[in-house]
Amino acid sequence: MIKKIALITGGYSGEAVISYKSATTIEKNIDTEKWECYKIDINPKGWFYMAAEGPQVEVDKNDFSITLNGTKIKFDAVLVGLHGTPGEDGKLQGYFDCLNIPYTSCDAATSALTFNKRYTVAVASFAGMHVAKSLHLFKNIPVSPAEILNQLQLPLFVKPNNGGSSLGISKVKEAGELQQALDKAFNEDDQVLVEEFISGREFTIGVFKSKGKIIALPITEIISKNEFFDFQAKYEGASEEITPAKVDETIAEKVRSEARKAYAVFNCNGIVRMDFIYQEKDGFPYLLEINTVPGQSEASLVPQQVAAMGMSLKEFYSLLIEECF
């Protein structure tokens, strides 16, 4: 019997626009012989089933079901394609756990932890991984630029601590630029991460689990035309993305090994994308962040990596759904 899958998209943050692009790609590549897919838009106005034709149907939040033509439809699993809150920070995962509905992403605890960039690097460091030196700032506890510069060396990256899509990030080269960068980041989030710049090659890698085995996808090297891999570089073509990366196999294996280690340390599930800087002077990959609901739009990195592995997205999404059972 074909299982019913809810593909969740949308969200309550500025990343919703990317969620809808991801959902379009996923929906086009679902194996309809195996899965019956229902796209569910979760947004500030409500939760709705988005039928190809006809009116929106509201989701019953008591059991995460919909009613079509008098028939109640309950879902066998949830395919998570929702970036930002509440699909990437653990809120919906906790809800689905309460309803005993399996899903294709990390659990509530891992999602909440990795959504917080500072807590991610703290746990990674505790596990013996290399990370940049950083400070965690809170909006309600003001810290002056001078205090920051007493503890960290320029250049610095200033970024919202929660969220993704490279919104609100600045690279600070001079002390006079720091306050403006803090204001920009605090405009996106109540918590901000300030970290020392690590020079090196930027690699990003998708990792997933299938039949209990942790599998690393081919590595992508990011060569940004901007100062760093910001929103414009990520989504508007201001970067060169080389998949698979042209990199010595010994370096590639170091990155893959660290990515698989992080996947295990953080108890990840589903497809996760990790960003690293490989610092050539000491020969170590430094973990920047873990993205537990990576983009699946046509411009996104994971679909590029799946193709480089010689796998179709249809096969890939089926593996993710099968694993969540």
PDB file of all heavy atoms in Angstrom, residues 104-107 206-217 260 263-272 311 315-325:
ATOM      1  N   THR A 104      11.635  13.079   8.380  1.00  0.00           N
ATOM      2  CA  THR A 104      12.926  12.876   7.701  1.00  0.00           C
ATOM      3  C   THR A 104      14.018  13.832   8.154  1.00  0.00           C
ATOM      4  O   THR A 104      14.921  14.153   7.376  1.00  0.00           O
ATOM      5  CB  THR A 104      12.762  13.049   6.182  1.00  0.00           C
ATOM      6  OG1 THR A 104      12.355  14.410   5.938  1.00  0.00           O
ATOM      7  CG2 THR A 104      11.757  12.097   5.588  1.00  0.00           C
ATOM      8  N   SER A 105      13.953  14.318   9.371  1.00  0.00           N
ATOM      9  CA  SER A 105      14.996  15.254   9.805  1.00  0.00           C
ATOM     10  C   SER A 105      15.525  14.839  11.171  1.00  0.00           C
ATOM     11  O   SER A 105      15.085  13.849  11.752  1.00  0.00           O
ATOM     12  CB  SER A 105      14.435  16.680   9.874  1.00  0.00           C
ATOM     13  OG  SER A 105      13.599  16.819  11.006  1.00  0.00           O
ATOM     14  N   CYS A 106      16.468  15.633  11.686  1.00  0.00           N
ATOM     15  CA  CYS A 106      16.971  15.407  13.043  1.00  0.00           C
ATOM     16  C   CYS A 106      15.833  15.574  14.049  1.00  0.00           C
ATOM     17  O   CYS A 106      14.831  16.232  13.772  1.00  0.00           O
ATOM     18  CB  CYS A 106      18.073  16.407  13.357  1.00  0.00           C
ATOM     19  SG  CYS A 106      19.531  16.257  12.304  1.00  0.00           S
ATOM     20  N   ASP A 107      16.009  14.977  15.241  1.00  0.00           N
ATOM     21  CA  ASP A 107      14.960  15.077  16.260  1.00  0.00           C
ATOM     22  C   ASP A 107      14.932  16.470  16.876  1.00  0.00           C
ATOM     23  O   ASP A 107      15.723  17.351  16.523  1.00  0.00           O
ATOM     24  CB  ASP A 107      15.125  13.983  17.320  1.00  0.00           C
ATOM     25  CG  ASP A 107      16.408  14.113  18.145  1.00  0.00           C
ATOM     26  OD1 ASP A 107      17.020  15.202  18.161  1.00  0.00           O
ATOM     27  OD2 ASP A 107      16.793  13.118  18.788  1.00  0.00           O
ATOM     28  N   GLY A 206      27.145  17.410   2.187  1.00  0.00           N
ATOM     29  CA  GLY A 206      25.906  16.790   2.657  1.00  0.00           C
ATOM     30  C   GLY A 206      26.204  15.411   3.225  1.00  0.00           C
ATOM     31  O   GLY A 206      27.048  14.674   2.701  1.00  0.00           O
ATOM     32  N   VAL A 207      25.525  15.075   4.309  1.00  0.00           N
ATOM     33  CA  VAL A 207      25.681  13.765   4.950  1.00  0.00           C
ATOM     34  C   VAL A 207      24.284  13.246   5.271  1.00  0.00           C
ATOM     35  O   VAL A 207      23.423  14.003   5.729  1.00  0.00           O
ATOM     36  CB  VAL A 207      26.508  13.863   6.257  1.00  0.00           C
ATOM     37  CG1 VAL A 207      26.811  12.475   6.807  1.00  0.00           C
ATOM     38  CG2 VAL A 207      27.791  14.638   6.032  1.00  0.00           C
ATOM     39  N   PHE A 208      24.055  11.955   5.007  1.00  0.00           N
ATOM     40  CA  PHE A 208      22.752  11.368   5.340  1.00  0.00           C
ATOM     41  C   PHE A 208      22.937   9.945   5.830  1.00  0.00           C
ATOM     42  O   PHE A 208      24.043   9.390   5.775  1.00  0.00           O
ATOM     43  CB  PHE A 208      21.794  11.429   4.140  1.00  0.00           C
ATOM     44  CG  PHE A 208      22.145  10.525   2.975  1.00  0.00           C
ATOM     45  CD1 PHE A 208      21.435   9.345   2.748  1.00  0.00           C
ATOM     46  CD2 PHE A 208      23.169  10.856   2.091  1.00  0.00           C
ATOM     47  CE1 PHE A 208      21.738   8.521   1.669  1.00  0.00           C
ATOM     48  CE2 PHE A 208      23.487  10.036   1.019  1.00  0.00           C
ATOM     49  CZ  PHE A 208      22.767   8.862   0.805  1.00  0.00           C
ATOM     50  N   LYS A 209      21.870   9.373   6.313  1.00  0.00           N
ATOM     51  CA  LYS A 209      21.908   7.999   6.811  1.00  0.00           C
ATOM     52  C   LYS A 209      20.961   7.144   5.985  1.00  0.00           C
ATOM     53  O   LYS A 209      19.839   7.553   5.700  1.00  0.00           O
ATOM     54  CB  LYS A 209      21.486   7.972   8.282  1.00  0.00           C
ATOM     55  CG  LYS A 209      21.866   6.675   9.026  1.00  0.00           C
ATOM     56  CD  LYS A 209      21.246   6.623  10.411  1.00  0.00           C
ATOM     57  CE  LYS A 209      21.887   7.572  11.381  1.00  0.00           C
ATOM     58  NZ  LYS A 209      21.263   7.533  12.715  1.00  0.00           N
ATOM     59  N   SER A 210      21.421   5.987   5.578  1.00  0.00           N
ATOM     60  CA  SER A 210      20.571   5.043   4.849  1.00  0.00           C
ATOM     61  C   SER A 210      20.887   3.632   5.332  1.00  0.00           C
ATOM     62  O   SER A 210      22.057   3.254   5.393  1.00  0.00           O
ATOM     63  CB  SER A 210      20.818   5.152   3.338  1.00  0.00           C
ATOM     64  OG  SER A 210      19.996   4.235   2.643  1.00  0.00           O
ATOM     65  N   LYS A 211      19.835   2.913   5.709  1.00  0.00           N
ATOM     66  CA  LYS A 211      19.993   1.557   6.259  1.00  0.00           C
ATOM     67  C   LYS A 211      20.977   1.559   7.432  1.00  0.00           C
ATOM     68  O   LYS A 211      21.784   0.652   7.603  1.00  0.00           O
ATOM     69  CB  LYS A 211      20.413   0.569   5.166  1.00  0.00           C
ATOM     70  CG  LYS A 211      19.389   0.447   4.033  1.00  0.00           C
ATOM     71  CD  LYS A 211      19.850  -0.508   2.947  1.00  0.00           C
ATOM     72  CE  LYS A 211      18.787  -0.672   1.869  1.00  0.00           C
ATOM     73  NZ  LYS A 211      18.500   0.570   1.132  1.00  0.00           N
ATOM     74  N   GLY A 212      20.943   2.624   8.217  1.00  0.00           N
ATOM     75  CA  GLY A 212      21.779   2.737   9.414  1.00  0.00           C
ATOM     76  C   GLY A 212      23.209   3.160   9.165  1.00  0.00           C
ATOM     77  O   GLY A 212      23.975   3.354  10.102  1.00  0.00           O
ATOM     78  N   LYS A 213      23.587   3.350   7.884  1.00  0.00           N
ATOM     79  CA  LYS A 213      24.971   3.714   7.552  1.00  0.00           C
ATOM     80  C   LYS A 213      25.057   5.213   7.262  1.00  0.00           C
ATOM     81  O   LYS A 213      24.215   5.760   6.545  1.00  0.00           O
ATOM     82  CB  LYS A 213      25.433   2.919   6.325  1.00  0.00           C
ATOM     83  CG  LYS A 213      26.889   3.159   5.946  1.00  0.00           C
ATOM     84  CD  LYS A 213      27.249   2.391   4.676  1.00  0.00           C
ATOM     85  CE  LYS A 213      28.677   2.708   4.233  1.00  0.00           C
ATOM     86  NZ  LYS A 213      28.990   2.136   2.907  1.00  0.00           N
ATOM     87  N   ILE A 214      26.079   5.884   7.834  1.00  0.00           N
ATOM     88  CA  ILE A 214      26.283   7.314   7.589  1.00  0.00           C
ATOM     89  C   ILE A 214      27.070   7.484   6.285  1.00  0.00           C
ATOM     90  O   ILE A 214      28.170   6.951   6.133  1.00  0.00           O
ATOM     91  CB  ILE A 214      27.041   7.967   8.765  1.00  0.00           C
ATOM     92  CG1 ILE A 214      26.214   7.861  10.051  1.00  0.00           C
ATOM     93  CG2 ILE A 214      27.346   9.433   8.455  1.00  0.00           C
ATOM     94  CD1 ILE A 214      26.952   8.311  11.309  1.00  0.00           C
ATOM     95  N   ILE A 215      26.477   8.228   5.351  1.00  0.00           N
ATOM     96  CA  ILE A 215      27.048   8.376   4.003  1.00  0.00           C
ATOM     97  C   ILE A 215      27.348   9.853   3.732  1.00  0.00           C
ATOM     98  O   ILE A 215      26.485  10.713   3.896  1.00  0.00           O
ATOM     99  CB  ILE A 215      26.067   7.848   2.939  1.00  0.00           C
ATOM    100  CG1 ILE A 215      25.774   6.360   3.189  1.00  0.00           C
ATOM    101  CG2 ILE A 215      26.610   8.064   1.535  1.00  0.00           C
ATOM    102  CD1 ILE A 215      24.572   5.829   2.429  1.00  0.00           C
ATOM    103  N   ALA A 216      28.580  10.137   3.307  1.00  0.00           N
ATOM    104  CA  ALA A 216      28.965  11.500   2.929  1.00  0.00           C
ATOM    105  C   ALA A 216      28.809  11.663   1.418  1.00  0.00           C
ATOM    106  O   ALA A 216      29.277  10.826   0.641  1.00  0.00           O
ATOM    107  CB  ALA A 216      30.402  11.773   3.345  1.00  0.00           C
ATOM    108  N   LEU A 217      28.155  12.725   1.001  1.00  0.00           N
ATOM    109  CA  LEU A 217      28.024  13.046  -0.417  1.00  0.00           C
ATOM    110  C   LEU A 217      29.328  13.681  -0.914  1.00  0.00           C
ATOM    111  O   LEU A 217      30.184  14.071  -0.102  1.00  0.00           O
ATOM    112  CB  LEU A 217      26.867  14.030  -0.620  1.00  0.00           C
ATOM    113  CG  LEU A 217      25.451  13.478  -0.402  1.00  0.00           C
ATOM    114  CD1 LEU A 217      24.429  14.618  -0.400  1.00  0.00           C
ATOM    115  CD2 LEU A 217      25.081  12.455  -1.468  1.00  0.00           C
ATOM    116  N   ARG A 260      31.288  12.990   8.977  1.00  0.00           N
ATOM    117  CA  ARG A 260      30.641  11.776   9.501  1.00  0.00           C
ATOM    118  C   ARG A 260      30.698  11.746  11.030  1.00  0.00           C
ATOM    119  O   ARG A 260      29.746  11.342  11.697  1.00  0.00           O
ATOM    120  CB  ARG A 260      31.313  10.520   8.917  1.00  0.00           C
ATOM    121  CG  ARG A 260      30.994  10.281   7.442  1.00  0.00           C
ATOM    122  CD  ARG A 260      31.474   8.911   6.982  1.00  0.00           C
ATOM    123  NE  ARG A 260      32.930   8.793   7.018  1.00  0.00           N
ATOM    124  CZ  ARG A 260      33.723   8.920   5.958  1.00  0.00           C
ATOM    125  NH1 ARG A 260      33.209   9.181   4.765  1.00  0.00           N
ATOM    126  NH2 ARG A 260      35.033   8.787   6.077  1.00  0.00           N
ATOM    127  N   TYR A 263      28.085  14.108  12.361  1.00  0.00           N
ATOM    128  CA  TYR A 263      26.748  13.514  12.183  1.00  0.00           C
ATOM    129  C   TYR A 263      26.442  12.565  13.339  1.00  0.00           C
ATOM    130  O   TYR A 263      25.341  12.559  13.896  1.00  0.00           O
ATOM    131  CB  TYR A 263      26.700  12.770  10.845  1.00  0.00           C
ATOM    132  CG  TYR A 263      25.307  12.409  10.353  1.00  0.00           C
ATOM    133  CD1 TYR A 263      24.662  13.206   9.405  1.00  0.00           C
ATOM    134  CD2 TYR A 263      24.657  11.272  10.803  1.00  0.00           C
ATOM    135  CE1 TYR A 263      23.404  12.877   8.930  1.00  0.00           C
ATOM    136  CE2 TYR A 263      23.398  10.933  10.343  1.00  0.00           C
ATOM    137  CZ  TYR A 263      22.779  11.738   9.399  1.00  0.00           C
ATOM    138  OH  TYR A 263      21.520  11.400   8.937  1.00  0.00           O
ATOM    139  N   ALA A 264      27.459  11.782  13.719  1.00  0.00           N
ATOM    140  CA  ALA A 264      27.284  10.835  14.828  1.00  0.00           C
ATOM    141  C   ALA A 264      27.236  11.551  16.179  1.00  0.00           C
ATOM    142  O   ALA A 264      26.361  11.271  17.007  1.00  0.00           O
ATOM    143  CB  ALA A 264      28.419   9.803  14.820  1.00  0.00           C
ATOM    144  N   VAL A 265      28.151  12.501  16.402  1.00  0.00           N
ATOM    145  CA  VAL A 265      28.214  13.229  17.676  1.00  0.00           C
ATOM    146  C   VAL A 265      26.900  13.950  17.970  1.00  0.00           C
ATOM    147  O   VAL A 265      26.406  13.943  19.101  1.00  0.00           O
ATOM    148  CB  VAL A 265      29.389  14.244  17.667  1.00  0.00           C
ATOM    149  CG1 VAL A 265      29.248  15.275  18.778  1.00  0.00           C
ATOM    150  CG2 VAL A 265      30.725  13.510  17.802  1.00  0.00           C
ATOM    151  N   PHE A 266      26.312  14.558  16.935  1.00  0.00           N
ATOM    152  CA  PHE A 266      25.085  15.332  17.120  1.00  0.00           C
ATOM    153  C   PHE A 266      23.822  14.486  16.961  1.00  0.00           C
ATOM    154  O   PHE A 266      22.719  15.009  17.032  1.00  0.00           O
ATOM    155  CB  PHE A 266      25.056  16.512  16.144  1.00  0.00           C
ATOM    156  CG  PHE A 266      25.964  17.642  16.533  1.00  0.00           C
ATOM    157  CD1 PHE A 266      27.282  17.672  16.112  1.00  0.00           C
ATOM    158  CD2 PHE A 266      25.512  18.675  17.338  1.00  0.00           C
ATOM    159  CE1 PHE A 266      28.133  18.706  16.480  1.00  0.00           C
ATOM    160  CE2 PHE A 266      26.347  19.714  17.712  1.00  0.00           C
ATOM    161  CZ  PHE A 266      27.665  19.732  17.284  1.00  0.00           C
ATOM    162  N   ASN A 267      24.002  13.161  16.753  1.00  0.00           N
ATOM    163  CA  ASN A 267      22.856  12.252  16.621  1.00  0.00           C
ATOM    164  C   ASN A 267      21.902  12.716  15.519  1.00  0.00           C
ATOM    165  O   ASN A 267      20.690  12.816  15.704  1.00  0.00           O
ATOM    166  CB  ASN A 267      22.107  12.139  17.961  1.00  0.00           C
ATOM    167  CG  ASN A 267      21.045  11.054  17.951  1.00  0.00           C
ATOM    168  OD1 ASN A 267      21.215  10.012  17.321  1.00  0.00           O
ATOM    169  ND2 ASN A 267      19.930  11.292  18.623  1.00  0.00           N
ATOM    170  N   CYS A 268      22.484  13.013  14.351  1.00  0.00           N
ATOM    171  CA  CYS A 268      21.687  13.534  13.236  1.00  0.00           C
ATOM    172  C   CYS A 268      20.863  12.441  12.558  1.00  0.00           C
ATOM    173  O   CYS A 268      21.179  11.250  12.660  1.00  0.00           O
ATOM    174  CB  CYS A 268      22.598  14.186  12.204  1.00  0.00           C
ATOM    175  SG  CYS A 268      23.435  15.671  12.792  1.00  0.00           S
ATOM    176  N   ASN A 269      19.847  12.875  11.858  1.00  0.00           N
ATOM    177  CA  ASN A 269      19.038  12.005  10.994  1.00  0.00           C
ATOM    178  C   ASN A 269      18.690  12.777   9.736  1.00  0.00           C
ATOM    179  O   ASN A 269      18.703  14.004   9.727  1.00  0.00           O
ATOM    180  CB  ASN A 269      17.755  11.563  11.702  1.00  0.00           C
ATOM    181  CG  ASN A 269      17.993  10.426  12.669  1.00  0.00           C
ATOM    182  OD1 ASN A 269      18.422   9.345  12.286  1.00  0.00           O
ATOM    183  ND2 ASN A 269      17.736  10.676  13.944  1.00  0.00           N
ATOM    184  N   GLY A 270      18.346  12.038   8.679  1.00  0.00           N
ATOM    185  CA  GLY A 270      17.991  12.696   7.422  1.00  0.00           C
ATOM    186  C   GLY A 270      19.215  13.315   6.774  1.00  0.00           C
ATOM    187  O   GLY A 270      20.354  13.001   7.100  1.00  0.00           O
ATOM    188  N   ILE A 271      18.965  14.224   5.827  1.00  0.00           N
ATOM    189  CA  ILE A 271      20.072  14.891   5.133  1.00  0.00           C
ATOM    190  C   ILE A 271      20.458  16.160   5.896  1.00  0.00           C
ATOM    191  O   ILE A 271      19.621  16.988   6.243  1.00  0.00           O
ATOM    192  CB  ILE A 271      19.706  15.215   3.658  1.00  0.00           C
ATOM    193  CG1 ILE A 271      20.828  16.018   2.970  1.00  0.00           C
ATOM    194  CG2 ILE A 271      18.372  15.952   3.552  1.00  0.00           C
ATOM    195  CD1 ILE A 271      22.134  15.266   2.819  1.00  0.00           C
ATOM    196  N   VAL A 272      21.746  16.290   6.164  1.00  0.00           N
ATOM    197  CA  VAL A 272      22.305  17.421   6.895  1.00  0.00           C
ATOM    198  C   VAL A 272      23.449  17.964   6.054  1.00  0.00           C
ATOM    199  O   VAL A 272      24.178  17.190   5.426  1.00  0.00           O
ATOM    200  CB  VAL A 272      22.814  16.938   8.270  1.00  0.00           C
ATOM    201  CG1 VAL A 272      23.677  17.973   8.936  1.00  0.00           C
ATOM    202  CG2 VAL A 272      21.643  16.565   9.168  1.00  0.00           C
ATOM    203  N   MET A 311      23.384   9.694  -8.361  1.00  0.00           N
ATOM    204  CA  MET A 311      22.073   9.268  -7.874  1.00  0.00           C
ATOM    205  C   MET A 311      21.022  10.291  -8.318  1.00  0.00           C
ATOM    206  O   MET A 311      21.319  11.479  -8.415  1.00  0.00           O
ATOM    207  CB  MET A 311      22.104   9.199  -6.336  1.00  0.00           C
ATOM    208  CG  MET A 311      20.874   8.580  -5.706  1.00  0.00           C
ATOM    209  SD  MET A 311      20.863   8.768  -3.883  1.00  0.00           S
ATOM    210  CE  MET A 311      22.369   7.941  -3.406  1.00  0.00           C
ATOM    211  N   GLU A 315      15.535   8.818  -6.296  1.00  0.00           N
ATOM    212  CA  GLU A 315      16.105   7.752  -5.450  1.00  0.00           C
ATOM    213  C   GLU A 315      16.474   8.296  -4.070  1.00  0.00           C
ATOM    214  O   GLU A 315      16.222   7.665  -3.042  1.00  0.00           O
ATOM    215  CB  GLU A 315      17.386   7.189  -6.092  1.00  0.00           C
ATOM    216  CG  GLU A 315      17.213   6.412  -7.369  1.00  0.00           C
ATOM    217  CD  GLU A 315      18.584   6.092  -7.980  1.00  0.00           C
ATOM    218  OE1 GLU A 315      19.117   6.918  -8.745  1.00  0.00           O
ATOM    219  OE2 GLU A 315      19.127   5.020  -7.650  1.00  0.00           O
ATOM    220  N   PHE A 316      17.079   9.487  -4.074  1.00  0.00           N
ATOM    221  CA  PHE A 316      17.576  10.093  -2.838  1.00  0.00           C
ATOM    222  C   PHE A 316      16.438  10.367  -1.858  1.00  0.00           C
ATOM    223  O   PHE A 316      16.509   9.982  -0.683  1.00  0.00           O
ATOM    224  CB  PHE A 316      18.322  11.383  -3.182  1.00  0.00           C
ATOM    225  CG  PHE A 316      18.887  12.112  -1.997  1.00  0.00           C
ATOM    226  CD1 PHE A 316      19.860  11.535  -1.197  1.00  0.00           C
ATOM    227  CD2 PHE A 316      18.446  13.393  -1.680  1.00  0.00           C
ATOM    228  CE1 PHE A 316      20.391  12.214  -0.105  1.00  0.00           C
ATOM    229  CE2 PHE A 316      18.964  14.075  -0.590  1.00  0.00           C
ATOM    230  CZ  PHE A 316      19.940  13.485   0.187  1.00  0.00           C
ATOM    231  N   TYR A 317      15.373  11.004  -2.323  1.00  0.00           N
ATOM    232  CA  TYR A 317      14.259  11.316  -1.416  1.00  0.00           C
ATOM    233  C   TYR A 317      13.578  10.042  -0.923  1.00  0.00           C
ATOM    234  O   TYR A 317      13.126   9.987   0.225  1.00  0.00           O
ATOM    235  CB  TYR A 317      13.254  12.257  -2.089  1.00  0.00           C
ATOM    236  CG  TYR A 317      13.817  13.627  -2.410  1.00  0.00           C
ATOM    237  CD1 TYR A 317      13.535  14.268  -3.618  1.00  0.00           C
ATOM    238  CD2 TYR A 317      14.664  14.286  -1.521  1.00  0.00           C
ATOM    239  CE1 TYR A 317      14.059  15.516  -3.916  1.00  0.00           C
ATOM    240  CE2 TYR A 317      15.204  15.522  -1.817  1.00  0.00           C
ATOM    241  CZ  TYR A 317      14.903  16.137  -3.018  1.00  0.00           C
ATOM    242  OH  TYR A 317      15.438  17.368  -3.311  1.00  0.00           O
ATOM    243  N   SER A 318      13.547   9.019  -1.744  1.00  0.00           N
ATOM    244  CA  SER A 318      12.979   7.735  -1.299  1.00  0.00           C
ATOM    245  C   SER A 318      13.813   7.124  -0.184  1.00  0.00           C
ATOM    246  O   SER A 318      13.294   6.596   0.784  1.00  0.00           O
ATOM    247  CB  SER A 318      12.858   6.747  -2.472  1.00  0.00           C
ATOM    248  OG  SER A 318      11.764   7.110  -3.285  1.00  0.00           O
ATOM    249  N   LEU A 319      15.166   7.232  -0.304  1.00  0.00           N
ATOM    250  CA  LEU A 319      16.044   6.729   0.752  1.00  0.00           C
ATOM    251  C   LEU A 319      15.795   7.454   2.070  1.00  0.00           C
ATOM    252  O   LEU A 319      15.751   6.837   3.134  1.00  0.00           O
ATOM    253  CB  LEU A 319      17.513   6.873   0.365  1.00  0.00           C
ATOM    254  CG  LEU A 319      18.056   5.947  -0.731  1.00  0.00           C
ATOM    255  CD1 LEU A 319      19.513   6.292  -1.033  1.00  0.00           C
ATOM    256  CD2 LEU A 319      17.940   4.479  -0.320  1.00  0.00           C
ATOM    257  N   LEU A 320      15.614   8.785   1.995  1.00  0.00           N
ATOM    258  CA  LEU A 320      15.365   9.572   3.216  1.00  0.00           C
ATOM    259  C   LEU A 320      14.041   9.169   3.872  1.00  0.00           C
ATOM    260  O   LEU A 320      13.957   9.029   5.092  1.00  0.00           O
ATOM    261  CB  LEU A 320      15.325  11.077   2.887  1.00  0.00           C
ATOM    262  CG  LEU A 320      16.604  11.719   2.347  1.00  0.00           C
ATOM    263  CD1 LEU A 320      16.379  13.229   2.173  1.00  0.00           C
ATOM    264  CD2 LEU A 320      17.789  11.465   3.250  1.00  0.00           C
ATOM    265  N   ILE A 321      13.010   9.004   3.049  1.00  0.00           N
ATOM    266  CA  ILE A 321      11.699   8.633   3.586  1.00  0.00           C
ATOM    267  C   ILE A 321      11.749   7.225   4.190  1.00  0.00           C
ATOM    268  O   ILE A 321      11.247   6.976   5.304  1.00  0.00           O
ATOM    269  CB  ILE A 321      10.594   8.726   2.512  1.00  0.00           C
ATOM    270  CG1 ILE A 321      10.434  10.175   2.032  1.00  0.00           C
ATOM    271  CG2 ILE A 321       9.257   8.220   3.046  1.00  0.00           C
ATOM    272  CD1 ILE A 321       9.604  10.348   0.759  1.00  0.00           C
ATOM    273  N   GLU A 322      12.366   6.285   3.484  1.00  0.00           N
ATOM    274  CA  GLU A 322      12.457   4.903   3.967  1.00  0.00           C
ATOM    275  C   GLU A 322      13.204   4.852   5.310  1.00  0.00           C
ATOM    276  O   GLU A 322      12.823   4.117   6.215  1.00  0.00           O
ATOM    277  CB  GLU A 322      13.158   4.026   2.920  1.00  0.00           C
ATOM    278  CG  GLU A 322      12.271   3.670   1.745  1.00  0.00           C
ATOM    279  CD  GLU A 322      13.051   3.228   0.498  1.00  0.00           C
ATOM    280  OE1 GLU A 322      14.280   3.084   0.582  1.00  0.00           O
ATOM    281  OE2 GLU A 322      12.408   3.058  -0.560  1.00  0.00           O
ATOM    282  N   GLU A 323      14.275   5.652   5.429  1.00  0.00           N
ATOM    283  CA  GLU A 323      15.076   5.631   6.655  1.00  0.00           C
ATOM    284  C   GLU A 323      14.277   6.116   7.861  1.00  0.00           C
ATOM    285  O   GLU A 323      14.483   5.646   8.979  1.00  0.00           O
ATOM    286  CB  GLU A 323      16.336   6.496   6.452  1.00  0.00           C
ATOM    287  CG  GLU A 323      17.315   6.471   7.617  1.00  0.00           C
ATOM    288  CD  GLU A 323      17.983   5.127   7.848  1.00  0.00           C
ATOM    289  OE1 GLU A 323      18.008   4.297   6.908  1.00  0.00           O
ATOM    290  OE2 GLU A 323      18.498   4.917   8.964  1.00  0.00           O
ATOM    291  N   CYS A 324      13.355   7.056   7.656  1.00  0.00           N
ATOM    292  CA  CYS A 324      12.630   7.608   8.816  1.00  0.00           C
ATOM    293  C   CYS A 324      11.645   6.602   9.405  1.00  0.00           C
ATOM    294  O   CYS A 324      11.174   6.783  10.535  1.00  0.00           O
ATOM    295  CB  CYS A 324      11.950   8.934   8.459  1.00  0.00           C
ATOM    296  SG  CYS A 324      10.334   8.829   7.707  1.00  0.00           S
ATOM    297  N   PHE A 325      11.355   5.533   8.669  1.00  0.00           N
ATOM    298  CA  PHE A 325      10.499   4.472   9.222  1.00  0.00           C
ATOM    299  C   PHE A 325      11.292   3.469  10.058  1.00  0.00           C
ATOM    300  O   PHE A 325      10.741   2.590  10.668  1.00  0.00           O
ATOM    301  CB  PHE A 325       9.757   3.734   8.099  1.00  0.00           C
ATOM    302  CG  PHE A 325       8.684   4.565   7.436  1.00  0.00           C
ATOM    303  CD1 PHE A 325       8.840   5.014   6.149  1.00  0.00           C
ATOM    304  CD2 PHE A 325       7.528   4.894   8.122  1.00  0.00           C
ATOM    305  CE1 PHE A 325       7.861   5.773   5.530  1.00  0.00           C
ATOM    306  CE2 PHE A 325       6.547   5.663   7.521  1.00  0.00           C
ATOM    307  CZ  PHE A 325       6.709   6.103   6.223  1.00  0.00           C
TER     308      PHE A 325
END
